[in-house]
Amino acid sequence: QQNIRTISHRGVRVITPGTGELACGYEAEGRMAEQQQIMEFVQTMFRADFSRLRVLVSVGGTEEDLDPVRVITNRSSGRMGFALAEAARDRGALVTVVAGRTSVLPPTGIKVVSVRTTAEMSRALKEEFVDSDVLVMAAAVSDYVAAVRETHKKKDDTWTVELTKGEDILQALGRMKGKRYMIGFALETEDVEANAKKKLEKKNCDLMVVNNLGEEGAAFEHDTNIVTIYSPSGKILTTKLQTKREIADIIFDVASRQETFQNIDA
């Protein structure tokens, strides 16, 4: 296992074993991968339509301190962002991830910059954005921060917390856009299409991917998702319930067909 971890971090791709009946009689992971799985794995390695691109992905949730112990955060696990990073890597891109708090490990073969707060994520993304061609803003950045951070652990019987709006990192990066291609993520509970179009324009994005919170098995803490993809001209498609890795490939397939993507000056 240590040898596998070592070569994986060096960029070597490893086909994971299959699950099923083993020679010892147990049902477990350890079987040789099936021939079809091996063929599909090899085919993805030679799929290099992003080979000239430097892709920057934000992942996970940020934390904002209330006092030295407690924080405001959200339910983001990082699964969607890491699926996007993995998909970009498999298409031949040089991938950098800026990761907040996550509950899953990042894929191998990518650069990971770890952050915790919205301010830390903002600094890291702006620094990495300079040398990037594509930005995928999949992180769940805290919309609000505490107006006052307590210097000692709060012990009162009641506690009223005042929150103020945090920085809109994606909008700030949109002002630095140039010829870069930008994909934003949103989670809307009402007026979905109108809000998606508004965010596209306000944040200067090329695509806006809206998560579906109302469907079982979608959005937070699942390996599956349902999304609707919008461009400035309107709705492009809504996916069915699929794995987040499959959703990532759909998003990049849609992006690669857009004229603004094909005009990236990489």
Side-chain angles (χ1 to χ4, degrees):
Q1 290 177 353
Q2 180 61 48
N3 289 338
I4 290 173
R5 284 193 292 269
T6 298
I7 64 173
S8 294
H9 284 295
R10 291 175 180 170
V12 175
R13 301 295 309 284
V14 178
I15 303 176
T16 56
T19 300
E21 184 177 350
L22 306 180
C24 59
Y26 288 103
E27 291 274 341
E29 185 180 60
R31 293 173 58 89
M32 179 178 175
E34 299 297 329
Q35 292 180 5
Q36 183 61 34
Q37 292 175 303
I38 296 172
M39 286 301 300
E40 290 174 356
F41 184 91
V42 172
Q43 287 169 353
T44 62
M45 290 186 65
F46 287 92
R47 183 182 183 182
D49 51 336
F50 282 24
S51 60
R52 61 190 175 88
L53 299 179
R54 296 159 295 180
V55 177
L56 175 62
V57 185
S58 69
V59 173
T62 58
E63 296 180 346
E64 297 301 327
D65 296 323
L66 296 176
D67 67 10
V69 178
R70 303 174 182 93
V71 298
I72 301 171
T73 187
N74 54 66
R75 295 165 52 198
S76 176
S77 66
R79 287 179 172 85
M80 189 71 246
F82 284 149
L84 286 154
E86 186 178 78
R89 178 204 66 188
D90 288 350
R91 290 170 180 249
L94 183 63
V95 182
T96 297
V97 164
V98 175
R101 180 191 50 77
T102 66
S103 58
V104 292
L105 295 174
T108 60
I110 63 172
K111 174 185 174 182
V112 179
V113 179
S114 297
V115 298
R116 190 177 70 85
T117 66
T118 300
E120 290 173 0
M121 179 165 282
S122 176
R123 286 193 297 270
L125 283 172
K126 289 172 183 176
E127 182 176 329
E128 298 292 342
F129 190 63
V130 173
D131 294 321
S132 298
D133 303 305
V134 178
L135 169 70
V136 186
M137 192 69 178
V141 179
S142 296
D143 295 322
Y144 295 92
V145 300
V148 177
R149 180 186 180 275
E150 301 290 337
T151 56
H152 299 284
K153 180 180 177 182
K154 194 75 170 176
K155 296 184 178 181
D156 297 345
D157 291 337
T158 61
W159 186 5
T160 300
V161 177
E162 181 183 356
L163 303 177
T164 60
K165 286 288 287 183
E167 181 188 7
D168 189 327
I169 300 174
L170 183 55
Q171 186 174 342
L173 292 172
R175 292 192 289 267
M176 303 166 55
K177 181 177 179 180
K179 292 186 177 181
R180 300 174 184 85
Y181 191 89
M182 293 177 53
I183 302 174
F185 271 71
L187 197 156
E188 301 292 340
T189 58
E190 58 184 357
D191 299 328
V192 174
E193 184 163 358
N195 285 326
K197 289 180 178 179
K198 183 178 178 181
K199 286 186 174 181
L200 267 166
E201 181 178 359
K202 182 179 180 181
K203 300 173 192 292
N204 200 17
C205 287
D206 299 280
L207 290 181
M208 187 62 63
V209 181
V210 180
N211 288 295
N212 189 327
L213 189 60
E215 296 290 337
E216 182 66 29
F220 293 122
E221 300 167 338
H222 294 287
D223 292 321
T224 52
N225 204 3
I226 300 172
V227 302
T228 302
I229 305 174
Y230 295 89
S231 72
S233 59
K235 175 181 172 181
I236 296 177
L237 60 84
T238 298
T239 69
K240 61 182 180 180
L241 184 68
Q242 293 173 267
T243 67
K244 288 183 173 177
R245 174 52 200 271
E246 290 170 332
I247 297 290
D249 278 317
I250 291 171
I251 292 169
F252 285 139
D253 284 343
V254 170
S256 64
R257 293 194 294 268
Q258 305 298 305
E259 183 178 352
T260 48
F261 188 94
Q262 296 166 7
N263 290 335
I264 294 172
D265 187 18

